[in-house]
Amino acid sequence: MALLNVDIDWLRTFLTVLETQSFTRTAEILLRTQPAISQQIKRLEETVGTALISRHRNQIMPTATGLVVKSYAEGIIGLNDRMVADLLDGAPPLLRIGLPDDYAAIFLPEILRSAARRLPQTEISCHSGYSIDLGKRVAQGELDLAIMTADPDGTSLHVISEPLVWVAQPEFAVHQRPLPVAVYHDACSVRRYGLAALRRDDIAHRISHSSNANSMLVTAVRGGHAIGVMPACTARHEGLFVVKNADLPQLPHIDIALKIRDQASPALRDLALSAISALGRENHAA
């Protein structure tokens, strides 16, 4: 009997398709074309001799054989990635990750799950801060990885685009003047966009609450004390009511981006791919 080898790239593609529920998103994450992704799945199915995935109610599901392959693939990919990390660079003893406070609540859980699987012996040091500061800290080598609001003039990997939205209690009086607003402190770009929109439309307002902690701003909004401005993904995560009122100014979109330090190790780049996947899933869940 001839020795049969399964290409590890096919297995990684198979797992990523199941994880993202999208051939298009898998192509983006693995930096390939969508036809190439489809071809890899086809070749894997031809190798094992049966279908591995099926579509059911807009979901991509593993078949019975697909579940078996998935189980083996997770072990094979995990061993491969651990070997690469150990041989090429070694698992880093410390990995420093930075996120703004509101992004951390949304994206950090998946990143930590990935880190626990890929780098079980590595200490994960999490840092909160404003996007502009996080980007500088990565550039200066103080952080290894940051998820942040993109600086139009900076260098980072664009991942998703999110609309900014107004949030308040449903019964909040949006016509009161001056309009009480809850915003982050001065360094936050979301604050700048929100206040600029109010000034542009000549809406009298006052900053009634400010903080560098998302939980404090959410508390002020939930209590009916102010209207807030935040990315739509944050509003969804917090379960806040999005105000759609023609008398409120239109808000722009922001880009959420990922930045990794120069000369990053294979382990760090692998974790960065997990971060991109986490952001993509949140965006497609909208």
Side-chain angles (χ1 to χ4, degrees), residues 15 17 61 66 91 120 161 246:
L15 291 180
V17 166
M61 305 293 294
S161 182

Side-chain angles (χ1 to χ4, degrees), residues 33-212:
T33 64
Q34 186 172 337
I37 296 300
S38 299
Q39 182 64 21
Q40 286 188 332
I41 295 296
K42 180 181 178 182
R43 293 183 68 182
L44 181 59
E45 290 179 326
E46 289 173 347
T47 300
V48 300
T50 187
L52 298 178
I53 60 175
S54 63
R55 295 184 182 274
H56 179 67
R57 294 180 180 177
N58 296 322
Q59 284 189 304
I60 299 176
M61 305 293 294
T63 63
T65 303
L67 285 172
V68 176
V69 173
K70 178 176 182 289
S71 177
Y72 279 110
E74 289 171 340
I76 292 168
I77 296 296
L79 285 173
N80 175 83
D81 293 348
R82 209 166 303 157
M83 179 190 71
V84 170
D86 288 344
L87 294 180
L88 294 185
D89 194 68
L94 177 68
L95 193 59
R96 303 158 300 175
I97 301 173
L99 307 90
D101 187 52
D102 56 333
Y103 293 172
I106 303 170
F107 304 121
L108 191 56
E110 178 60 30
I111 295 173
L112 294 184
R113 279 193 291 271
S114 179
R117 185 171 66 251
R118 291 172 165 83
L119 305 168
Q121 304 304 316
T122 295
E123 175 187 344
I124 307 299
S125 178
C126 301
H127 301 254
S128 178
Y130 293 113
S131 294
I132 188 170
D133 296 327
L134 294 173
K136 290 177 181 177
R137 294 182 67 184
V138 172
Q140 294 166 358
E142 297 176 6
L143 293 175
D144 300 301
L145 168 70
I147 291 175
M148 58 191 190
T149 302
D151 178 358
D153 299 322
T155 57
S156 57
L157 176 61
H158 166 76
V159 181
I160 62 173
S161 182
E162 277 287 303
L164 294 179
V165 295
W166 298 107
V167 291
Q169 284 293 83
E171 65 275 11
F172 182 80
V174 297
H175 299 296
Q176 61 182 295
R177 299 292 183 268
L179 184 68
V181 184
V183 289
Y184 275 102
H185 289 156
D186 289 343
C188 178
S189 57
V190 172
R191 168 195 171 112
R192 292 198 303 272
Y193 291 134
L195 297 182
L198 292 170
R199 290 193 296 268
R200 183 191 66 226
D201 285 19
D202 293 324
I203 295 177
H205 61 278
R206 67 182 181 90
I207 297 174
S208 60
H209 302 79
S210 65
S211 177
N212 61 357

Side-chain angles (χ1 to χ4, degrees), residues 1 20 31 35 44 75-76 86 112 116 166 169-170 181 185 217-218 225 246-247 257 266 269 272 281:
M1 178 178 174
T20 63
L31 306 179
L44 181 59
I76 292 168
D86 288 344
L112 294 184
W166 298 107
Q169 284 293 83
V181 184
H185 289 156
L217 298 180
V218 169
H225 307 296
D247 293 330
R269 293 189 180 278
R281 275 196 302 277

